[in-house]
Amino acid sequence: MQRNVLFSLMIWLLEVILVASFVSDRWTREIQTTEDRMLIAYFGAKKESEISETTQYWFDQLFVRTGMRESVYRYFIPTERERQMSKGFEDVGRHDLFPFIQSRLDVLWDTVYQMIKRFVMACAWLPFLAVAVQPFVIDGLIRRKVSQTNFDYPSPIAHRYSLYLMLGALYLLLVSLTLPFPMPPQSIPVGVFVVVFAVNVLLANTQKRV
């Protein structure tokens, strides 16, 4: 299990690297614009403004005010002073290599910003999550209790594959934070429904204790 988790995280990090390497900065801006329009259409302009303000706050707190974003740019792109100090190499990469690196870093930080915004949007669904989880959990526990009072046996296959389904849905929700495609707000409750359905089957088919 631990090896599978590490492998899944490596795939997710590889996705982030591929996005930063090959997706254009224009495309990332179009993704943000499209998702903003979908948020306004679904939640309204006021809620979209709250989500954007919260996202900007956390992005600034984590990466701007700490100096992390500026440090990354300075690490890969020399300043004008550093160029002048490098006699004979002042213009090396000025018009080709370093503009390309800067565009890749712009995409990386846009992806980080969009990841935070999608996470904030997912948090907006927490009231729905609380309401949705309770009946599924209660139903699963009741079904398990009923099976303990008769001769019904829980299905180990249903238990195992419901666990796989739950973990797979949670992983897809994680991967969706950095996908280079517009994610509609409705994708969150769909993923939550899959998870709580898997939890229901998992609880109903938990093995009886001896």
Side-chain angles (χ1 to χ4, degrees):
M1 176 65 73
Q2 184 178 2
R3 184 177 300 177
N4 293 335
V5 172
L6 292 176
F7 180 71
S8 300
L9 291 176
M10 289 178 61
I11 293 178
W12 179 58
L13 291 176
L14 178 61
E15 178 205 346
V16 175
I17 294 173
L18 291 176
V19 169
S21 301
F22 297 105
V23 176
S24 67
D25 50 353
R26 178 184 175 185
W27 177 250
T28 56
R29 289 192 295 268
E30 290 180 356
I31 292 175
Q32 292 180 5
T33 303
T34 302
E35 290 193 4
D36 289 345
R37 287 199 300 264
M38 289 190 294
L39 281 174
I40 293 174
Y42 196 81
F43 287 112
K46 182 178 179 180
K47 188 63 177 180
E48 189 278 334
S49 178
E50 293 177 0
I51 292 175
S52 297
E53 290 176 1
T54 303
T55 302
Q56 191 65 55
Y57 172 79
W58 284 111
F59 183 82
D60 292 343
Q61 286 289 109
L62 293 173
F63 304 109
V64 179
R65 296 179 182 177
T66 59
M68 183 181 298
R69 185 176 66 168
E70 182 182 357
S71 297
V72 171
Y73 279 105
R74 289 183 60 185
Y75 182 82
F76 289 99
I77 303 174
T79 62
E80 190 61 33
R81 181 174 178 273
E82 291 171 338
R83 291 178 185 276
Q84 298 304 322
M85 293 175 61
S86 302
K87 299 300 181 181
F89 297 92
E90 294 90 345
D91 294 325
V92 173
R94 180 187 293 272
H95 304 293
D96 42 33
L97 176 61
F98 293 117
F100 173 77
I101 293 177
Q102 180 168 352
S103 69
R104 296 303 89 204
L105 294 177
D106 290 341
V107 171
L108 175 63
W109 288 115
D110 286 342
T111 301
V112 172
Y113 176 87
Q114 197 64 18
M115 178 180 67
I116 297 175
K117 189 167 188 176
R118 289 174 177 177
F119 179 77
V120 173
M121 180 186 68
C123 291
W125 286 102
L126 285 179
F128 167 79
L129 176 63
V131 173
V133 167
Q134 291 181 10
F136 280 87
V137 171
I138 293 173
D139 178 73
L141 292 174
I142 291 176
R143 289 168 56 192
R144 179 174 182 269
K145 197 67 177 179
V146 169
S147 67
Q148 290 177 338
T149 61
N150 52 34
F151 295 100
D152 291 338
Y153 288 93
S155 171
I157 295 178
H159 182 274
R160 180 183 308 165
Y161 283 98
S162 62
L163 177 62
Y164 292 160
L165 177 62
M166 180 179 64
L167 295 177
L170 290 174
Y171 180 70
L172 288 178
L173 288 173
L174 173 65
V175 171
S176 68
L177 294 177
T178 52
L179 282 178
F181 304 102
M183 298 296 297
Q186 301 91 328
S187 60
I188 302 298
V190 171
V192 170
F193 176 79
V194 173
V195 171
V196 296
F197 174 76
V199 170
N200 176 270
V201 177
L202 181 72
L203 293 174
N205 290 277
T206 301
Q207 298 295 317
K208 300 177 183 179
R209 295 182 179 179
V210 180

